[in-house]
Amino acid sequence: MPDLSVLTRAEAVERRRLLDVRTVHLDLDLTRGREVFGSTTVIRFGCTTPGAGTHLDVKPSRLHRVVLNGRELDVDALRAGRLPLTGLAADNELTVEAEMAYSHTGEGMHRFTDPADGEDYVYTQSFLDDGPRVFASFDQPDLKARYTVSVTAPQEWTVVGNSAGRQVAPGRWEFAPTPAISSYLVAVVAGPLHSVHAEHDGIPLGLHCRRSLAAHLDADAAELLEVTRQGFDHYHRIFRRRFAFDSYDQCFVPEFNLGAMENPGCVTLRDDYVFRSAVTDTQREHRALVVVHEMAHMWFGDLVTMTWWDDLWLNESFAEYMAHAVTAAATRFTGAWTAFAADGKTWGYDADQRPSTHPVAPVTVDDTAQALQNFDGISYAKGAAALRQLVAWLGEDAFLAGVNDHFDAHAFGNATLDDLLRALTAASGRDVHGWADRWLRTTGVDTLRVADGRIAHTSADGVLRPHRLTVGHYRRTAEGALELADRVPLDLPADGTGAPAGAAELTLPNDTDLGFVKVRLDPGSWQTVRSSLGAVPEELARAVLWASARDQVLDGELAPGEYLRLVAAHLPGETSVHLVDAALSFARTFVTDCAVPPAERPAALALLAEVCRTLLRRTKGGADGTGLRLVAVRGVIGTAADPAQAAELRDWLAAGTVPGGPVLDPDLRWQLLLRLCVLGAAGEPEIAAELAAHPSDTSEEGAARCRAALPDPAAKEAAWQALFHGELSNYLAASTASGLWQPEQTELLDGLTVRYFEELGPAAARRGPALARVLTRAGFPAFAATERTVRAAEACLADPALTEATRRGLVDQLDTLRRAVRARALAGK
Ligand SMILES: [Zn+2]
């Protein structure tokens, strides 16, 4: 049973008042077998009130010994991850010797055995309250300390930590003391790593991955290092303070739950980012955004850290805003803001319209369990979009001046939203507090509507926000194309009075996507979009229009069939891989699998298949260079439905290539096999053969997905048992879950849909928050968009025993489910 103890904000405030943590010596022993590791911590700290008491955070499998100022403490006093400390002195030394358990859920010290070669790897994820699963600490962001780490590891291993380290004896690694950092940022990565070393501007750079991925990392190292160098150069141009740590290692680690984690000097990234198969340019761009995002954290988050988790947004919104701004300005991925419009922001829009939404900057977050649930599309995407509005309003120079003052005032310490607002106000002379009240303390998306020659905005919750945007007016050319006639600035005050819209063939508010708003066009302009969306000359403006169509479907204002007609009319000629990828993905998943009534689903699949085949014909020879052909191939595979299409896929698999390319790499082979399994056109012999031919973790995941997808009751039951009653790792659980539910198998899955709501709660409680997320995301029967499923989900939510992570996951899925049910009703009219 995972330890679900949580630290409250009140406890953190009191402990911060009492303690001043100075240094931590951490010694880890990774040579104690595959189940546990040794962890010895020596903490030196001051106490403002001698004689007072507090508690230590430690979540061991066995607590051996705790010594406070020479006095041995009773280790049996440990309860729910807390050991009481009493009778503190003005200066204290605390030694904790413990044995810790490795995890397989990506929380604490994760251990992974590579199926490709049997080698073992470990890495830490100390984020939020998982640090005490690795080492004893006063675990809260504002008790920073200088960490000196040493590690004993198997002799053939490499060990990477926050600061520069070296092997002082075979298997013995020592790291330089870090500057003051928060406990949640302490990191160690170890195993027989493959490493690439470089240097830039005096900063030692390292890239590390599993040995079996060596060739793939080597192939990508030049691009990764180039983005890293460009990121450092840009940050050093706009920030007064240099990078504050002594080295910059980027470790690509297996079965990582997030995109990446910003441990200073030792960033961990999911190793799917070491590409093993062909990828699109949007995937490369996404990886660059992650790299640049984590670099921003070296300043926002690591140098200056939020005081408590209610300012999580300070970390994530800033890093996400900077990631897009810097990637667009400094790297070859100049379309990063289009990626934000087409994909990244939809995460924020969706999150902000659900019952679970919260302000970007919540007034208070009571405890760490609540904080974990705020790690979402609001803190990342909406927060970044809000900051983009702030920069549009203040101007970039004033914004950066305020931010730099903020760094200077709080370097190596902690700060709050209020500290930042004060710095921005001083630098800009504007009332940033008033802006923040409107944008950061409220919830909900405003809707911009063009009607009767005016643009006005409304909000769902009655609190209007000010907007600084542009409006594009497009006209027809003599040849019938569309061109931009003019673009005008638009300042919408928060009083809702609106502004003149101007007249044009197409009037598009927010055409440069500076805003975080939903856009509803006037009827004439929407008519132009229906006939000519693909002819709108700018990629970003088309992204805004596709996003508008998307949220009209989700709001029940545009029938799913209408969205599919836009896809059929305008994607075959689309040149932007961003837009094709995003629109096809929404059309394939939400629209076709959930929102279209089952009777109309075959026609929807056929329509998408035809669009993808047109793209395939258009990209013959693969000359587009952005991966559009790859998107088309994936689309053809994912929409195959009838026996003839299945036979064609079998031919591709046998030939090892798509006619005219590309050659099938592992990703495509598993996608193909998955689709054949769903359709009953392949089974266990093919799965076993593929797994044997290419043993690797991605093959294990592909096989788990395929087996769960077979239209066979025994296969479904086996997947079910593994998922709800087994001990699958986080990644194998996600793979199994994503294979399980297939709209083609509605009858077969009927009983399991009922069982899902009965067994979810206990299974998620048993496995902890990371697995709760898997079970409520990929594991949720989203395709079963009926009133019956809605009622079952509502009944499940009434169970008071649900954990916080399960409840949040279910609330969000139920919202999407209701939207799908509403869309189906609209389609039926
Ligand atoms: Zn981040």
Side-chain angles (χ1 to χ4, degrees):
M1 182 95 184
D3 192 338
L4 298 175
S5 71
V6 294
L7 184 71
T8 67
R9 185 180 202 276
E11 288 170 330
V13 168
E14 172 57 18
R15 194 161 61 173
R16 174 72 189 94
R17 191 189 63 74
L18 209 58
L19 303 189
D20 169 28
V21 185
R22 293 160 192 159
T23 63
V24 177
H25 281 74
L26 170 60
D27 187 55
L28 297 175
D29 181 0
L30 307 178
T31 63
R32 296 190 188 174
R34 305 177 79 157
E35 303 299 322
V36 296
F37 60 99
S39 170
T40 300
T41 318
V42 180
I43 310 175
R44 294 191 176 82
F45 62 101
C47 175
T48 55
T49 316
T54 184
H55 77 268
L56 174 78
D57 299 302
V58 59
K59 299 173 181 173
S61 59
R62 235 182 104 202
L63 188 57
H64 290 299
R65 194 160 171 261
V66 181
V67 179
L68 175 64
N69 302 329
R71 174 164 53 98
E72 191 123 0
L73 303 187
D74 177 12
V75 295
D76 292 333
L78 181 69
R79 292 279 180 281
R82 296 178 175 205
L83 187 76
L85 302 178
T86 54
L88 295 175
D91 297 293
N92 301 273
E93 182 179 292
L94 177 68
T95 302
V96 183
E97 293 173 20
E99 202 162 74
M100 303 286 188
Y102 290 113
S103 91
H104 297 286
T105 62
E107 299 153 310
M109 178 87 81
H110 186 88
R111 189 171 183 114
F112 171 82
T113 303
D114 191 338
D117 55 14
E119 296 286 358
D120 277 19
Y121 298 86
V122 303
Y123 64 86
T124 58
Q125 171 69 352
S126 307
F127 180 69
L128 241 162
D129 51 6
D130 283 329
R133 296 169 68 154
V134 181
F135 60 97
S137 68
F138 299 111
D139 191 32
Q140 62 189 66
D142 61 348
L143 285 173
K144 288 189 170 187
R146 290 170 66 90
Y147 282 79
T148 305
V149 177
S150 51
V151 178
T152 303
Q155 291 191 13
E156 63 282 10
W157 283 21
T158 299
V159 184
V160 183
N162 295 100
S163 52
R166 61 192 186 96
Q167 193 169 193
V168 294
R172 181 69 184 163
W173 293 75
E174 289 184 2
F175 295 86
T178 66
I181 60 173
S182 301
S183 50
Y184 80 91
L185 294 169
V186 173
V188 168
V189 176
L193 298 168
H194 171 71
S195 301
V196 176
H197 295 284
E199 192 261 2
H200 180 64
D201 195 11
I203 304 166
L205 305 178
L207 303 173
H208 312 270
C209 71
R210 286 182 269 151
R211 201 175 270 173
S212 66
L213 303 182
H216 304 297
L217 182 66
D218 288 348
D220 277 3
E223 178 171 311
L224 286 164
L225 289 170
E226 184 183 32
V227 169
T228 306
R229 290 184 180 110
Q230 290 166 331
F232 270 124
D233 286 349
H234 196 89
Y235 285 127
H236 283 150
R237 266 199 300 278
I238 61 174
F239 297 152
R240 282 201 293 270
R241 284 180 169 264
R242 269 183 67 84
F243 172 63
F245 306 93
D246 69 3
S247 53
Y248 196 70
D249 287 294
Q250 296 176 83
C251 305
F252 295 87
V253 296
E255 299 195 308
F256 197 67
N257 283 324
L258 314 166
M261 177 68 205
E262 67 269 23
N263 316 299
C266 185
V267 172
T268 40
L269 305 96
R270 60 166 53 223
D271 69 15
D272 311 64
Y273 292 140
V274 178
F275 298 134
R276 290 154 250 181
S277 291
V279 293
T280 63
D281 234 30
T282 47
Q283 288 171 287
R284 290 190 177 278
E285 178 180 70
H286 178 75
R287 181 176 69 180
L289 284 164
V290 173
V291 166
V292 177
H293 172 116
E294 302 311 322
M295 296 180 78
H297 277 311
M298 297 301 125
W299 286 264
F300 295 108
D302 294 359
L303 176 67
V304 178
T305 308
M306 72 216 149
T307 298
W308 178 244
W309 299 105
D310 44 13
D311 281 330
L312 180 70
W313 84 279
L314 270 182
N315 278 8
E316 298 310 338
S317 306
F318 264 110
E320 197 63 359
Y321 168 75
M322 280 296 167
H324 288 86
V326 174
T327 301
T331 76
R332 78 175 172 88
F333 300 104
T334 52
W337 285 119
T338 309
F340 193 50
D343 182 28
K345 274 171 84 180
T346 58
W347 189 24
Y349 288 130
D350 292 351
D352 207 16
Q353 296 178 77
R354 288 184 180 134
S356 58
T357 189
H358 55 88
V360 173
V363 176
T364 57
V365 170
D366 291 334
D367 60 42
T368 49
Q370 197 187 338
L372 185 62
Q373 306 318 317
N374 284 349
F375 205 67
D376 59 9
I378 301 294
S379 294
Y380 284 76
K382 184 185 179 184
L387 286 179
R388 201 174 187 211
Q389 270 293 289
L390 179 64
V391 174
W393 183 56
L394 293 181
E396 197 173 10
D397 289 350
F399 173 74
L400 287 175
V403 166
N404 276 310
D405 293 345
H406 181 72
F407 291 157
D408 284 345
H410 306 284
F412 302 108
N414 298 81
T416 63
L417 168 59
D418 215 46
D419 294 322
L420 179 69
L421 296 182
R422 265 202 301 274
L424 291 171
T425 298
S428 67
R430 303 277 191 99
D431 173 22
V432 185
H433 286 88
W435 177 89
D437 283 344
R438 292 276 176 181
W439 268 101
L440 305 179
R441 296 295 196 196
T442 62
T443 60
V445 186
D446 289 353
T447 302
L448 286 191
R449 221 172 276 281
V450 184
D452 306 323
R454 289 190 70 78
I455 301 175
H457 66 304
T458 54
S459 84
D461 63 352
V463 182
L464 286 169
R465 282 145 281 261
H467 299 271
R468 170 159 288 198
L469 311 165
T470 58
V471 185
H473 297 111
Y474 295 83
R475 67 181 166 219
R476 287 269 175 213
T477 63
E479 296 77 37
L482 283 174
E483 67 178 13
L484 185 68
D486 66 6
R487 169 170 293 141
V488 295
L490 173 69
D491 267 302
L492 286 176
D495 61 12
T497 49
E505 177 83 14
L506 165 61
T507 299
L508 177 56
N510 196 30
D511 64 325
T512 50
D513 201 41
L514 289 177
F516 184 78
V517 286
K518 296 197 282 187
V519 170
R520 297 292 181 268
L521 304 181
D522 65 89
S525 290
W526 184 247
Q527 200 50 45
T528 303
V529 170
R530 289 174 62 177
S531 67
S532 312
L533 198 171
V536 174
E538 287 153 318
E539 186 188 32
L540 197 51
R542 295 200 299 282
V544 170
L545 290 166
W546 279 108
S548 173
R550 179 188 187 276
D551 61 48
Q552 289 179 64
V553 174
L554 288 167
D555 285 351
E557 295 172 17
L558 186 70
E562 284 291 317
Y563 188 89
L564 292 174
R565 274 189 278 283
L566 283 177
V567 167
H570 303 297
L571 277 198
E574 179 58 60
T575 53
S576 162
V577 67
H578 289 115
L579 302 188
V580 173
D581 216 356
L584 264 186
S585 162
F586 180 67
R588 178 67 185 79
T589 52
F590 182 80
V591 176
T592 303
D593 282 357
C594 307
V596 164
E600 294 171 26
R601 189 167 177 276
L605 278 177
L607 178 148
L608 293 180
E610 189 47 42
V611 169
C612 295
R613 281 172 193 282
T614 308
L615 284 167
L616 205 56
R617 284 192 292 275
R618 216 189 81 200
T619 54
K620 213 163 187 170
D624 75 283
T626 62
L628 208 47
R629 186 170 178 81
L630 189 56
V631 175
V633 169
R634 289 173 182 164
V636 171
I637 294 171
T639 53
D642 62 36
Q645 289 168 330
E648 185 183 26
L649 295 195
R650 288 191 72 96
D651 289 346
W652 290 6
L653 200 56
T657 184
V658 179
V663 168
L664 296 180
D665 53 31
D667 273 6
L668 285 175
R669 292 186 69 85
W670 281 111
Q671 279 174 39
L672 256 166
L673 199 50
L674 174 66
R675 196 62 195 157
L676 292 173
C677 287
V678 170
L679 299 175
E684 183 54 35
E686 288 90 345
I687 299 169
E690 191 68 26
L691 187 57
H694 308 281
S696 72
D697 55 326
T698 40
S699 287
E700 299 272 356
E701 290 156 22
R705 196 177 293 115
C706 285
R707 285 174 176 140
L710 290 171
D712 162 28
K716 293 294 178 198
E717 186 59 32
W720 190 270
Q721 288 301 329
L723 198 52
F724 286 83
H725 303 284
E727 295 294 331
L728 290 177
S729 75
N730 49 346
Y731 270 37
L732 282 174
S735 306
T736 304
S738 68
L740 184 67
W741 305 114
Q742 300 293 339
E744 281 79 4
Q745 303 164 358
T746 305
E747 276 177 42
L748 180 64
L749 293 168
D750 197 50
L752 289 182
T753 309
V754 177
R755 250 170 93 188
Y756 174 82
F757 294 104
E758 294 163 1
E759 296 182 23
L760 168 67
R766 183 176 65 87
R767 301 286 327 262
L771 265 291
R773 277 195 294 277
V774 170
L775 291 173
T776 55
R777 289 181 189 178
F780 187 85
F783 76 99
T786 63
E787 286 293 348
R788 193 186 71 156
T789 316
V790 168
R791 283 194 299 275
E794 287 168 346
C796 184
L797 268 173
D799 178 359
L802 290 184
T803 64
E804 193 97 25
T806 314
R807 181 172 304 282
R808 174 62 189 271
L810 260 188
V811 166
D812 291 353
Q813 290 289 2
L814 178 58
D815 179 64
T816 308
L817 193 68
R818 286 193 177 116
R819 289 173 188 274
V821 170
R822 190 166 57 187
R824 272 194 193 180
L826 195 66
K829 274 180 194 159

